[in-house]
Amino acid sequence: MNKKSCLNCGYTISDEFCAHCGQKTDTARITYLSLIKNDIFGSIWHVETRFFKTIKNVLLEPGKTAMDYISGKRIRYYNFISLLLILFSFNVLALHFYEKFVTEETIHEVSKIRAFFSKYSKTILFVIIPMLAINAFFVFKKTKLNLAEHFIIGTVSLLGILVIFLLDDIVSFIGLWKPISKITDVVDKIIFVLFILFPAATYWNAFRKMYSKLGLIGRVSVLYVLMGIESLAIITVLYKIF
């Protein structure tokens, strides 16, 4: 049997991928066909498939998605931190474009919201997850997850919230058309409830097999009380600074 060497690192290979650097072993000469099929369409399809699959899993099974990732099932998911930054950017852009279409009587209020959100976006992003992680670390002590693992669950929870915010942005755009504004107002209230309940859904989905229903309801309630107090304190400080 002829031994092959990886064209990238020179490591001896015998499978589809190099065990040393991970490069595919069938790195033949680049042609127009292979460029289009593998490098362009292949890359786009691979990225988009994982991107949308991750979003779907985050919305439908947030806790399970987080626990799968923690347990080592990671290649199936788009990187959570990268996805977080992408969704956060989409939310800022959506708010920016919404401001362009609102009526004069609401433009001042929207501008204030946008200015606050834009100025403190990084603070909001990097405070919510640690808050969730630290509080959950003590509230859900029985799970024996470390702080970094709770950070992952908090990240997944925020991912779901950002997707819900994007959905709310779409509803807000549709609501600018006056004939259906009353309907979109109702939908907007439903989305707000989903936003409030999503962290609870995340932790329920993650730990429902580790606690009794009553015990889990109690712990989630404690988590919400802690988050509410801390969030109120942070928002008060930021508004005074603002």
Side-chain angles (χ1 to χ4, degrees):
M1 175 186 279
N2 294 327
K3 290 186 177 181
K4 295 172 63 178
S5 296
C6 175
L7 297 179
N8 180 56
C9 66
Y11 196 80
T12 302
I13 52 178
S14 59
D15 211 337
E16 186 179 355
F17 294 91
C18 174
H20 186 255
C21 71
Q23 178 170 285
K24 291 190 72 172
T25 57
D26 60 340
T27 49
R29 185 174 181 178
I30 296 173
T31 63
Y32 288 115
L33 182 60
S34 69
L35 179 66
I36 295 171
K37 180 182 176 182
N38 300 326
D39 294 82
I40 298 177
F41 289 132
S43 298
I44 293 173
W45 173 255
H46 181 66
V47 170
E48 284 191 350
T49 299
R50 280 204 300 163
F51 182 88
F52 290 110
K53 182 181 178 182
T54 302
I55 289 178
K56 183 193 77 172
N57 289 339
V58 163
L59 287 176
L60 299 181
E61 296 183 308
K64 183 179 182 301
T65 299
M67 295 303 285
D68 280 350
Y69 192 89
I70 290 169
S71 68
K73 300 173 183 178
R74 296 168 192 172
I75 197 168
R76 68 181 67 176
Y77 299 116
Y78 197 87
N79 182 272
F80 289 160
I81 303 301
S82 298
L83 185 57
L84 190 71
L85 296 174
I86 291 170
L87 291 175
F88 204 76
S89 300
F90 283 167
N91 274 276
V92 173
L93 284 172
L95 191 57
H96 171 77
F97 284 115
Y98 177 72
E99 186 186 45
K100 302 295 183 182
F101 293 93
V102 293
T103 56
E104 288 296 326
E105 57 265 26
T106 57
I107 187 81
H108 181 62
E109 181 182 352
V110 174
S111 295
K112 284 167 60 179
I113 295 171
R114 177 177 171 269
F116 177 82
F117 188 70
S118 298
K119 185 170 183 178
Y120 294 108
S121 60
K122 291 181 180 178
T123 303
I124 294 168
L125 175 64
F126 291 108
V127 165
I128 289 178
I129 297 175
M131 280 171 56
L132 274 172
I134 293 169
N135 290 325
F137 177 76
F138 292 104
V139 173
F140 299 102
K141 198 74 176 176
K142 180 182 175 181
T143 63
K144 296 183 180 180
L145 298 176
N146 61 38
L147 197 56
E149 290 167 333
H150 277 290
F151 188 93
I152 294 297
I153 300 175
T155 300
V156 171
S157 184
L158 185 56
L159 282 173
I161 289 171
L162 290 178
V163 174
I164 292 170
F165 276 166
L166 276 177
L167 180 61
D168 189 52
D169 291 334
I170 295 171
V171 171
S172 297
F173 273 111
I174 297 172
L176 293 174
W177 188 38
K178 293 297 182 183
I180 61 169
S181 59
K182 290 184 178 179
I183 297 174
T184 56
D185 285 345
V186 174
V187 175
D188 188 67
K189 289 180 174 62
I190 294 172
I191 291 174
F192 179 74
V193 173
L194 292 176
F195 150 67
I196 295 296
L197 294 179
F198 195 82
T202 301
Y203 287 98
W204 184 277
N205 188 235
F207 302 141
R208 62 185 177 180
K209 294 181 179 179
M210 301 181 189
Y211 295 94
S212 66
K213 289 183 179 179
L214 189 60
L216 193 51
I217 290 172
R219 284 170 173 79
V220 170
S221 299
V222 170
L223 180 66
Y224 266 65
V225 170
L226 293 174
M227 289 293 296
I229 294 171
E230 293 160 359
S231 298
L232 184 61
I234 291 170
I235 291 171
T236 302
V237 170
L238 289 177
Y239 261 108
K240 285 184 177 180
I241 294 173
F242 186 67

PDB file of all heavy atoms in Angstrom, residues 10 29 45-46 61 73 89 183 189 191 212:
ATOM      1  N   GLY A  10       2.247  17.567   5.710  1.00  0.00           N
ATOM      2  CA  GLY A  10       3.182  16.476   5.480  1.00  0.00           C
ATOM      3  C   GLY A  10       2.942  15.248   6.332  1.00  0.00           C
ATOM      4  O   GLY A  10       3.687  14.270   6.247  1.00  0.00           O
ATOM      5  N   ARG A  29      -5.978  19.315  -8.041  1.00  0.00           N
ATOM      6  CA  ARG A  29      -5.759  20.610  -8.660  1.00  0.00           C
ATOM      7  C   ARG A  29      -7.095  21.348  -8.833  1.00  0.00           C
ATOM      8  O   ARG A  29      -8.115  20.757  -9.177  1.00  0.00           O
ATOM      9  CB  ARG A  29      -5.086  20.438 -10.026  1.00  0.00           C
ATOM     10  CG  ARG A  29      -4.721  21.761 -10.671  1.00  0.00           C
ATOM     11  CD  ARG A  29      -3.937  21.538 -11.941  1.00  0.00           C
ATOM     12  NE  ARG A  29      -3.557  22.806 -12.548  1.00  0.00           N
ATOM     13  CZ  ARG A  29      -2.822  22.928 -13.658  1.00  0.00           C
ATOM     14  NH1 ARG A  29      -2.403  21.821 -14.282  1.00  0.00           N
ATOM     15  NH2 ARG A  29      -2.511  24.115 -14.120  1.00  0.00           N
ATOM     16  N   TRP A  45     -23.346  26.636   1.194  1.00  0.00           N
ATOM     17  CA  TRP A  45     -24.342  25.677   1.669  1.00  0.00           C
ATOM     18  C   TRP A  45     -24.013  25.189   3.072  1.00  0.00           C
ATOM     19  O   TRP A  45     -24.888  25.082   3.932  1.00  0.00           O
ATOM     20  CB  TRP A  45     -24.427  24.495   0.712  1.00  0.00           C
ATOM     21  CG  TRP A  45     -25.299  23.369   1.200  1.00  0.00           C
ATOM     22  CD1 TRP A  45     -24.912  22.174   1.703  1.00  0.00           C
ATOM     23  CD2 TRP A  45     -26.730  23.363   1.250  1.00  0.00           C
ATOM     24  NE1 TRP A  45     -25.992  21.414   2.053  1.00  0.00           N
ATOM     25  CE2 TRP A  45     -27.128  22.119   1.786  1.00  0.00           C
ATOM     26  CE3 TRP A  45     -27.709  24.295   0.888  1.00  0.00           C
ATOM     27  CZ2 TRP A  45     -28.451  21.775   1.977  1.00  0.00           C
ATOM     28  CZ3 TRP A  45     -29.039  23.953   1.085  1.00  0.00           C
ATOM     29  CH2 TRP A  45     -29.397  22.712   1.619  1.00  0.00           C
ATOM     30  N   HIS A  46     -22.716  24.914   3.323  1.00  0.00           N
ATOM     31  CA  HIS A  46     -22.291  24.410   4.622  1.00  0.00           C
ATOM     32  C   HIS A  46     -22.557  25.437   5.712  1.00  0.00           C
ATOM     33  O   HIS A  46     -23.090  25.108   6.782  1.00  0.00           O
ATOM     34  CB  HIS A  46     -20.794  24.065   4.574  1.00  0.00           C
ATOM     35  CG  HIS A  46     -20.266  23.513   5.868  1.00  0.00           C
ATOM     36  ND1 HIS A  46     -20.661  22.301   6.377  1.00  0.00           N
ATOM     37  CD2 HIS A  46     -19.385  24.043   6.759  1.00  0.00           C
ATOM     38  CE1 HIS A  46     -20.041  22.083   7.522  1.00  0.00           C
ATOM     39  NE2 HIS A  46     -19.272  23.128   7.782  1.00  0.00           N
ATOM     40  N   GLU A  61     -35.603  24.141  20.880  1.00  0.00           N
ATOM     41  CA  GLU A  61     -35.042  23.361  21.990  1.00  0.00           C
ATOM     42  C   GLU A  61     -33.803  24.057  22.550  1.00  0.00           C
ATOM     43  O   GLU A  61     -32.691  23.528  22.472  1.00  0.00           O
ATOM     44  CB  GLU A  61     -34.677  21.954  21.530  1.00  0.00           C
ATOM     45  CG  GLU A  61     -35.872  21.107  21.089  1.00  0.00           C
ATOM     46  CD  GLU A  61     -35.471  19.698  20.721  1.00  0.00           C
ATOM     47  OE1 GLU A  61     -34.543  19.545  19.898  1.00  0.00           O
ATOM     48  OE2 GLU A  61     -36.066  18.747  21.259  1.00  0.00           O
ATOM     49  N   LYS A  73     -21.213  17.825  21.566  1.00  0.00           N
ATOM     50  CA  LYS A  73     -21.814  17.753  20.225  1.00  0.00           C
ATOM     51  C   LYS A  73     -21.804  19.151  19.605  1.00  0.00           C
ATOM     52  O   LYS A  73     -22.820  19.852  19.622  1.00  0.00           O
ATOM     53  CB  LYS A  73     -23.240  17.210  20.317  1.00  0.00           C
ATOM     54  CG  LYS A  73     -23.310  15.819  20.928  1.00  0.00           C
ATOM     55  CD  LYS A  73     -24.748  15.390  21.167  1.00  0.00           C
ATOM     56  CE  LYS A  73     -24.813  14.034  21.855  1.00  0.00           C
ATOM     57  NZ  LYS A  73     -26.206  13.619  22.151  1.00  0.00           N
ATOM     58  N   SER A  89     -25.932  42.526  15.591  1.00  0.00           N
ATOM     59  CA  SER A  89     -25.740  43.523  14.528  1.00  0.00           C
ATOM     60  C   SER A  89     -27.017  43.700  13.714  1.00  0.00           C
ATOM     61  O   SER A  89     -27.396  44.822  13.363  1.00  0.00           O
ATOM     62  CB  SER A  89     -24.591  43.096  13.606  1.00  0.00           C
ATOM     63  OG  SER A  89     -23.384  42.986  14.324  1.00  0.00           O
ATOM     64  N   ILE A 183     -53.775  44.750  14.534  1.00  0.00           N
ATOM     65  CA  ILE A 183     -53.391  43.335  14.559  1.00  0.00           C
ATOM     66  C   ILE A 183     -51.929  43.181  14.968  1.00  0.00           C
ATOM     67  O   ILE A 183     -51.589  42.335  15.804  1.00  0.00           O
ATOM     68  CB  ILE A 183     -53.622  42.681  13.178  1.00  0.00           C
ATOM     69  CG1 ILE A 183     -55.106  42.714  12.811  1.00  0.00           C
ATOM     70  CG2 ILE A 183     -53.117  41.231  13.173  1.00  0.00           C
ATOM     71  CD1 ILE A 183     -55.406  42.230  11.412  1.00  0.00           C
ATOM     72  N   LYS A 189     -47.477  42.322  21.371  1.00  0.00           N
ATOM     73  CA  LYS A 189     -47.626  41.979  22.792  1.00  0.00           C
ATOM     74  C   LYS A 189     -47.327  40.498  23.031  1.00  0.00           C
ATOM     75  O   LYS A 189     -46.723  40.135  24.048  1.00  0.00           O
ATOM     76  CB  LYS A 189     -49.039  42.325  23.273  1.00  0.00           C
ATOM     77  CG  LYS A 189     -49.310  43.823  23.390  1.00  0.00           C
ATOM     78  CD  LYS A 189     -50.721  44.094  23.865  1.00  0.00           C
ATOM     79  CE  LYS A 189     -50.955  45.580  24.135  1.00  0.00           C
ATOM     80  NZ  LYS A 189     -50.799  46.404  22.940  1.00  0.00           N
ATOM     81  N   ILE A 191     -45.298  38.660  21.229  1.00  0.00           N
ATOM     82  CA  ILE A 191     -43.842  38.523  21.089  1.00  0.00           C
ATOM     83  C   ILE A 191     -43.131  38.996  22.358  1.00  0.00           C
ATOM     84  O   ILE A 191     -42.136  38.399  22.791  1.00  0.00           O
ATOM     85  CB  ILE A 191     -43.345  39.309  19.856  1.00  0.00           C
ATOM     86  CG1 ILE A 191     -43.842  38.629  18.578  1.00  0.00           C
ATOM     87  CG2 ILE A 191     -41.816  39.404  19.846  1.00  0.00           C
ATOM     88  CD1 ILE A 191     -43.535  39.399  17.318  1.00  0.00           C
ATOM     89  N   SER A 212     -37.677  18.102  39.941  1.00  0.00           N
ATOM     90  CA  SER A 212     -39.124  17.925  39.868  1.00  0.00           C
ATOM     91  C   SER A 212     -39.721  19.195  39.256  1.00  0.00           C
ATOM     92  O   SER A 212     -39.077  20.250  39.231  1.00  0.00           O
ATOM     93  CB  SER A 212     -39.705  17.697  41.262  1.00  0.00           C
ATOM     94  OG  SER A 212     -39.545  18.877  42.051  1.00  0.00           O
TER      95      SER A 212
END
